[in-house]
Every structure is written in structure tokens, then in C-alpha cells.
């Protein structure tokens, strides 16, 4: 495995996370530094995406690199039965870095085992989404001025939501308090609650998205109920409309509260929240560009601070 790969947020230390956040800040100030001249990045998306793929590709374009890849696996030879192993080995002949989204948990880890070039996991099933976590951390830091000692309420699909799983693991360094709001069918999986227990992270669970919960939160992290993860359509129908955040529910919330959502949303945040200054999800997605510029340059072993004009 190439040690510059980013497969799980658990693969990187607190210091590396803080260093990536510092890089993201640099790129927010210098988004068009041409430091990837001659580098080729492949984006292989076996699942749909808007933000992750386009922000990775924008990140490369703004840094002067080149992009190859596919957004629809139906246009690649995987549609003819080519294995993931062979696809990764082929693309490794052409690119310096692979950014991959796949519907199978563990696919990105597997990819690191069949190539020497770095792999960045852009989401593997319900498992991990580490680049989303970096932009989430950057968004939390920008809006709260710190990462430590925050109350973070996660709402919605906590079972299949890879973004909440990654974020929960990354926050272990920053003494969070979590409130998990979910229907029993979509509760935070036991392995992540065990993780919290092992790391001494406080959490409470509730099915009630109550004023008491909202009004003690510094961050409310809303999530979509992901139809594509359900094997039973009736179960999806039962839980899909349980939690919707409306503007009126924020009347007595903390002044510093920010509403995050990895997006896309369906109906879990009413559009009447969009004009509330506490709504941060569109800026959050914009931060993805800078966080991914940081991740790409780390993966390619390029330090923008070394190449910056003095
Ligand atoms: N947040 C996120 O992963 O969005 P996309 O599915 O549009 O990439």
C-alpha cells in the first residue's frame, strides 16, 4: 500500500489532520497554484456523485494537473466484466493518483493492495468517506473557531451514513459530545458506539429531534435517508420522512450553531432553513474544494508551502 493513500480517516493522525486543515486554509487563499503540472489524476466513480467528483476534478484543474476517469462505470470495461483489480492495475499505468468511489465496503482498501500508486477513498458503501470528513472538520473549525469540546448532533441515517461514521472517528482527538438522533432501524451501529466507549467519547441516543436537543447543539449534522442502501423498499418508506429540520425549530438555538449536511438533501432540511445564517451546507460543500486540494497534494507528496513564491 502506498503510504500516501487515504482510505479511512483512522489511517491518519491528529497531527496529519491538523496539517491537512492548514493546507486547506492555504488553498482557500491560493486556489489556483499551478503545482500539479505534469501530474495525472484518475477519478473512478462506480456510484453517482456531484460534489465529491466535481470538487476533486476542480481541485486538480485549479492546481494545473490533468484528469482522466469515468463518472458512470457503464462506460468502462467493468461493464464487460473486468474485475476491480484489473481496472485499478490498468489505470495505474496511466495516472499518478486514483480517487475512487465504490458501492462495496472495503473496495478502496482492496485497491491499495493491487497498486503502488496512492488511492483516495471517495466513499466505499456505508463504510468511510474521509475526504468528506476533512471538509466537515474544516467547516467546523472555520465556523466554531475550534474543534475541541463541541456538542455535535447527528440526525437521520446513522446506520448507513458513511459521512457520520468517518466524522465520528475523526472527532476522537477533540473531546466531542455526540447526540445521535435516529429511528431504531437507522441507529448508529454498535461498532461506532463501542468506538466511542473505547475512546471515552460521550454520547446519548434518542429518537426525538426535540427543542432540548437542538438548543444544546453547536453543530447539527443532518443526513439523507439513503434509498440506495436499503434492500427492503418498505423499510425505506417507513423511515424516509421521520426527520425534517424547519426554520422555526431554530428559534432558540445557540448563536454559534451551524447546520451541516454532506448533501444531497431530499426533504430532511426544509428550504425555509436555507436563508438562516445558521445554514452552512452550501459553504460546507465549497470548502470541499480546498480540503480536496490539500488531500491531493498530500497524496502526491507535494507541499504547497514549499513551492509557494517567497
Ligand atoms: N457529499 C457527497 O458525497 O456528495 P456527492 O454524493 O454528490 O458526491
Amino acid at each position: 500500500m502506498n503510504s500516501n493513500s487515504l482510505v479511512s480517516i483512522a489511517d491518519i493522525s491528529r497531527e496529519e489532520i491538523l496539517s491537512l486543515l492548514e493546507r486547506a486554509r492555504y488553498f482557500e487563499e491560493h486556489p489556483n497554484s499551478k503545482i500539479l503540472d505534469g501530474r495525472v489524476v484518475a477519478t473512478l466513480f462506480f456510484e453517482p456523485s456531484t460534489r465529491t467528483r466535481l470538487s476533486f476534478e476542480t481541485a486538480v484543474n485549479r492546481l494545473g494537473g490533468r484528469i482522466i476517469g469515468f463518472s458512470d462505470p457503464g462506460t468502462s470495461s467493468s461493464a464487460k466484466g473486468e474485475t476491480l483489480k484489473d481496472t485499478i492495475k490498468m489505470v495505474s499505468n496511466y495516472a499518478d493518483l486514483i480517487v475512487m468511489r465504490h458501492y462495496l465496503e472495503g473496495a478502496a482498501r482492496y485497491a491499495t493492495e493491487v497498486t503502488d500508486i496512492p488511492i483516495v477513498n471517495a466513499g466505499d458503501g456505508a463504510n468511510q468517506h474521509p475526504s468528506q470528513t476533512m471538509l466537515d472538520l474544516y467547516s467546523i473549525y472555520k465556523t466554531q473557531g475550534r474543534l475541541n469540546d463541541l456538542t455535535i448532533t447527528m440526525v437521520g441515517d446513522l446506520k448507513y451514513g458513511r459521512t457520520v461514521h468517518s466524522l465520528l472517528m475523526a472527532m476522537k482527538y477533540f473531546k466531542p459530545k455526540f447526540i445521535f438522533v435516529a429511528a431504531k432501524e437507522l441507529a448508529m451501529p454498535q461498532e461506532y458506539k463501542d468506538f466511542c466507549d473505547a475512546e471515552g467519547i460521550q454520547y446519548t441516543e434518542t429518537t426525538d429531534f426535540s427543542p432540548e436537543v437542538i438548543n444544546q447543539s453547536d453543530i447539527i449534522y443532518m443526513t439523507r435517508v439513503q434509498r440506495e442502501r436499503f434492500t427492503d423498499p418498505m423499510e425505506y418508506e417507513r423511515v424516509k420522512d421521520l426527520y425534517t429540520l424547519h426554520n422555526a425549530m431554530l428559534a432558540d438555538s445557540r448563536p454559534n450553531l451551524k447546520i451541516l449536511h454532506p448533501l444531497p438533501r431530499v426533504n430532511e432540511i426544509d428550504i425555509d432553513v436555507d436563508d438562516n445564517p445558521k445554514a452552512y451546507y452550501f459553504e460546507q460543500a465549497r470548502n470541499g474544494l480546498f480540503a480536496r486540494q490539500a488531500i491531493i497534494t498530500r497524496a502526491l507528496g507535494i507541499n504547497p508551502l514549499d513551492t509557494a513564491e517567497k
Side-chain angles (χ1 to χ4, degrees):
M1 168 171 159
N2 187 302
S3 61
N4 288 341
S5 292
L6 180 58
V7 171
S8 165
I9 201 72
D11 294 343
I12 56 174
S13 65
R14 180 178 189 277
E15 288 63 38
E16 284 178 291
I17 287 174
L18 295 178
S19 164
L20 281 169
L21 296 178
E22 191 184 330
R23 276 193 199 204
R25 167 70 70 192
Y26 172 84
F27 283 121
E28 184 161 9
E29 290 163 6
H30 306 86
N32 296 311
S33 320
K34 299 291 179 200
I35 55 177
L36 294 191
D37 190 28
R39 305 300 180 104
V40 176
V41 176
T43 54
L44 310 185
F45 276 67
F46 292 86
E47 272 194 331
S49 168
T50 295
R51 280 146 291 275
T52 308
R53 185 175 66 83
L54 295 182
S55 62
F56 266 116
E57 294 187 356
T58 304
V60 173
N61 283 322
R62 288 193 179 276
L63 296 180
R66 299 293 180 97
I67 289 283
I68 61 170
F70 53 80
S71 57
D72 174 1
T75 65
S76 79
S77 285
S78 63
K80 302 177 201 163
E82 186 161 55
T83 62
L84 180 60
K85 175 180 178 181
D86 287 2
T87 301
I88 296 296
K89 290 187 87 63
M90 288 307 102
V91 176
S92 301
N93 289 329
Y94 314 135
D96 302 299
L97 164 67
I98 293 175
V99 176
M100 183 176 82
R101 170 170 289 187
H102 203 282
Y103 48 87
L104 288 179
E105 292 184 24
R109 181 77 64 200
Y110 175 72
T112 66
E113 290 167 7
V114 298
T115 182
D116 292 330
I117 71 168
I119 301 288
V120 172
N121 182 5
D124 60 328
N127 186 33
Q128 281 274 316
H129 197 347
S131 68
Q132 177 72 44
T133 299
M134 288 312 307
L135 77 91
D136 291 343
L137 292 174
Y138 188 50
S139 299
I140 293 169
Y141 186 74
K142 274 177 70 177
T143 61
Q144 305 297 316
R146 68 187 204 280
L147 292 171
N148 279 306
D149 300 310
L150 295 168
T151 298
I152 300 178
T153 297
M154 296 174 162
V155 184
D157 181 355
L158 308 188
K159 179 178 179 184
Y160 299 114
R162 58 195 174 198
T163 63
V164 291
H165 300 160
S166 288
L167 181 58
L168 179 152
M169 294 177 84
M171 287 304 296
K172 76 172 186 179
Y173 300 118
F174 307 112
K175 292 191 288 178
K177 184 178 151 205
F178 286 117
I179 304 174
F180 302 139
V181 182
K184 296 234 176 313
E185 296 92 328
L186 295 179
M188 185 62 78
Q190 190 60 44
E191 65 181 286
Y192 293 102
K193 292 188 280 185
D194 290 345
F195 178 89
C196 288
D197 291 336
E199 297 292 340
I201 297 171
Q202 286 184 58
Y203 68 87
T204 54
E205 289 186 282
T206 177
T207 56
D208 189 8
F209 193 24
S210 64
E212 189 197 345
V213 166
I214 291 170
N215 297 343
Q216 65 178 296
S217 302
D218 299 304
I219 296 290
I220 295 178
Y221 196 99
M222 299 297 296
T223 64
R224 173 177 68 97
V225 175
Q226 302 172 85
R227 186 177 51 200
E228 64 272 28
R229 307 273 178 237
F230 285 77
T231 48
D232 177 357
M234 292 307 292
E235 187 177 333
Y236 171 71
E237 287 301 319
R238 260 199 314 279
V239 296
K240 72 181 172 60
D241 297 323
L242 287 180
Y243 301 108
T244 302
L245 180 64
H246 296 276
N247 195 41
M249 295 161 70
L250 300 172
D252 296 319
S253 59
R254 288 183 172 178
N256 63 307
L257 171 72
K258 291 293 179 213
I259 314 298
L260 302 187
H261 190 312
L263 303 178
R265 72 172 151 182
V266 181
N267 60 355
E268 58 280 354
I269 301 179
D270 192 279
I271 56 169
D272 73 359
V273 180
D274 292 358
D275 294 330
N276 189 316
K278 294 176 180 175
Y280 194 73
Y281 27 93
F282 296 123
E283 291 96 329
Q284 178 189 358
R286 180 173 181 271
N287 290 334
L289 170 60
F290 315 122
R292 288 175 172 127
Q293 287 182 316
I295 289 166
I296 289 164
T297 53
R298 173 190 175 274
L300 290 171
I302 296 168
N303 187 342
L305 303 174
D306 289 345
T307 55
E309 285 179 26
K310 303 283 189 253

